[in-house]
Amino acid sequence: MGAEVKLYKKLKAKTPKIIWNRVENLAIPGMPDLLGYNANGHFFTVELKVTKGKKLKFSPHQIAFHVTHPNNTFIIAEALGPCASNRFQMFHGSRINALVAHGLTLEACCLGLDACNSWLESLGA
């Protein structure tokens, strides 16, 4: 099982009130990994990333998606390893260029999966 699939399973377990659809789409390059739907009737997308360092790798298509769709898009990163001070971090998709430039040193909108859950559940409220 890949690292992003493991992250998806952790996220799904922490977000029981969110309906998740994994997107496996070769027809739309750069499409985020997940389509989420919360109890407020709000759709959003989430790109999952796992890293052993501070840098995150994105394809040009993933960057283009978040630049052209800056609202209701998020990136959740899991930092692995003993030096990971904030293991789970969430960023607005609109900040993808800053995230590419600065990696996990960029200030996240949420730290931890519980905080990510609260944020995503509150969208559209």
Side-chain angles (χ1 to χ4, degrees), residues 70-82:
N71 299 316
N72 304 318
T73 61
F74 300 92
I75 299 157
I76 295 179
E78 179 180 13
L80 302 175

Side-chain angles (χ1 to χ4, degrees), residues 16-122:
K17 294 182 180 178
I18 296 175
I19 298 169
W20 293 108
N21 290 286
R22 290 195 62 218
V23 180
E24 301 291 334
N25 191 341
L26 299 175
I28 304 173
M31 181 72 186
D33 299 310
L34 303 175
L35 176 65
Y37 183 77
N38 68 16
N40 300 321
H42 198 81
F43 282 103
F44 53 91
T45 63
V46 175
E47 178 66 38
L48 300 174
K49 291 292 177 186
V50 178
T51 184
K52 291 181 181 173
K54 298 236 180 244
K55 285 278 195 187
L56 296 173
K57 295 179 184 177
F58 295 93
S59 74
H61 295 292
Q62 289 172 322
I63 295 168
F65 181 91
H66 287 285
V67 168
T68 58
H69 302 88
N71 299 316
N72 304 318
T73 61
F74 300 92
I75 299 157
I76 295 179
E78 179 180 13
L80 302 175
C83 296
S85 59
N86 293 311
R87 185 164 187 162
F88 300 100
Q89 300 181 45
M90 186 169 79
F91 304 88
H92 289 281
S94 61
R95 301 195 68 208
I96 193 163
N97 285 322
L99 195 52
V100 169
H102 302 286
L104 296 181
T105 62
L106 188 68
E107 185 176 351
C109 63
C110 290
L111 299 175
L113 290 180
D114 289 330
C116 293
N117 177 49
S118 294
W119 186 289
L120 295 172
E121 279 186 359
S122 72

